Amino acid sequence: GSKPVSASCVVTVKEASAADPKVGDYYYSDGTWSTDLDAGKTVIGIAFPTLNATGDDSKLREDYPACSNGLVISVKELNSIFGQNHGFAGNSEDPMYNWVKDNYASANYTTTVANGYTATLSLKGYQQYRGAADCCQIVSVLNNPNLPAAPTDKPNSGWYIPSYKEMQLLSAERTVVNSAISNVGGNQIGEGDYWTSSLDYFESKSGNDMIGYTYFYDTKCYPFNMTNNGWTASHNYSTEYPVRVVLAF
């Protein structure tokens, strides 16, 4: 008679790939996302994958190379002053400008790239350098207990304060993002001013025509206006404004 025939095979089960994120998708505490709300999960943010921030921010790309899907904005709105006690020295070079320039190149002093991750690191670094808790106080929002924790088991950058450019991108998608935020009872993005992690600077001078002039740079920070889609003509560091935070995923 014929011999019995047997065979074996190995079955590999792969996790289904997530669909590419879209503006307004719900982002959950487990690091997943969906277009339709999953009531069994906790929404911590809303996606606006308009830009892969790792393409603009070299430090983000170095630290989190897998986070190329875009950005997520937290459903929570926080409030803060920008800070005090920066160490500005009057008619001389601004120490904050020099420190950021020396340690993070021009991380904060630009409005054309989405580099909020590096800009936030530079604010944290300068605060530590100054040794003053109220210096760059804005970074304290990242420790606010009302801010939902970032996922720990999926690639993400952790929360950071968006740059001027990232706020511009968010402003363009505000209607869709706000609709999703309202569906989960979050804090909608307003029409007014928001702090960002970006700074501005201008050239100043001291002296007179007789002895000559010494030129130096001063740091200024301006809130970003969501309606005007640009800087607000104000630079009072001690004024409290809302702050949104984002993460790359």
Side-chain angles (χ1 to χ4, degrees), residues 143-227:
N143 299 317
N144 190 304
N146 292 321
L147 181 65
T152 57
D153 54 352
K154 296 287 185 181
N156 72 89
S157 65
W159 299 116
Y160 64 84
I161 302 164
S163 65
Y164 177 102
K165 180 65 176 181
E166 287 158 331
M167 289 298 284
Q168 276 193 323
L169 297 172
L170 176 60
S171 177
E173 307 291 357
R174 185 159 58 99
T175 299
V176 175
V177 171
N178 269 346
S179 178
I181 290 175
S182 66
N183 287 341
V184 295
N187 306 124
Q188 289 195 355
I189 305 159
E191 299 179 351
D193 295 335
Y194 284 83
W195 282 127
T196 77
S197 54
S198 296
L199 300 171
D200 198 10
Y201 70 91
F202 64 93
E203 188 178 66
S204 299
K205 64 181 180 180
S206 63
N208 54 55
D209 292 337
M210 183 174 296
I211 64 172
Y213 293 92
T214 300
Y215 292 87
F216 55 93
Y217 290 104
D218 263 341
T219 294
K220 296 294 181 184
C221 63
Y222 303 91
F224 181 91
N225 186 272
M226 297 300 288
T227 299

Side-chain angles (χ1 to χ4, degrees), residues 7-169:
S8 63
C9 65
V10 176
V11 177
T12 302
V13 178
K14 294 185 177 180
E15 183 179 358
S17 298
D20 290 340
K22 299 185 292 294
V23 175
D25 277 3
Y26 302 99
Y27 184 80
Y28 303 104
S29 59
D30 63 359
T32 61
W33 60 88
S34 66
T35 300
D36 297 321
L37 180 62
D38 186 338
K41 294 186 177 184
T42 301
V43 176
I44 63 171
I46 304 299
F48 64 110
T50 312
L51 176 82
N52 170 14
T54 59
D56 270 9
D57 193 326
S58 59
K59 180 62 175 170
L60 176 62
R61 184 168 61 250
E62 176 186 337
D63 290 352
Y64 299 99
C67 295
S68 59
N69 287 303
L71 299 174
V72 166
I73 179 174
S74 170
V75 295
K76 295 294 186 181
E77 183 163 284
L78 308 168
N79 292 276
S80 179
I81 66 172
F82 195 90
Q84 303 176 92
N85 194 26
H86 294 106
F88 298 160
N91 292 334
S92 62
E93 194 87 306
D94 173 6
M96 185 175 187
Y97 172 82
N98 279 336
W99 190 91
V100 170
K101 181 182 65 176
D102 292 343
N103 291 274
Y104 286 90
S106 59
N108 303 62
Y109 301 98
T110 179
T111 59
T112 60
V113 295
N115 64 346
Y117 175 78
T118 296
T120 299
L121 290 180
S122 72
L123 294 177
K124 289 180 176 180
Y126 187 70
Q127 183 187 58
Q128 184 176 11
Y129 167 75
R130 287 285 302 164
D134 57 352
C135 168
C136 302
Q137 188 171 326
I138 186 173
V139 298
S140 65
V141 300
L142 300 173
N143 299 317
N144 190 304
N146 292 321
L147 181 65
T152 57
D153 54 352
K154 296 287 185 181
N156 72 89
S157 65
W159 299 116
Y160 64 84
I161 302 164
S163 65
Y164 177 102
K165 180 65 176 181
E166 287 158 331
M167 289 298 284
Q168 276 193 323
L169 297 172

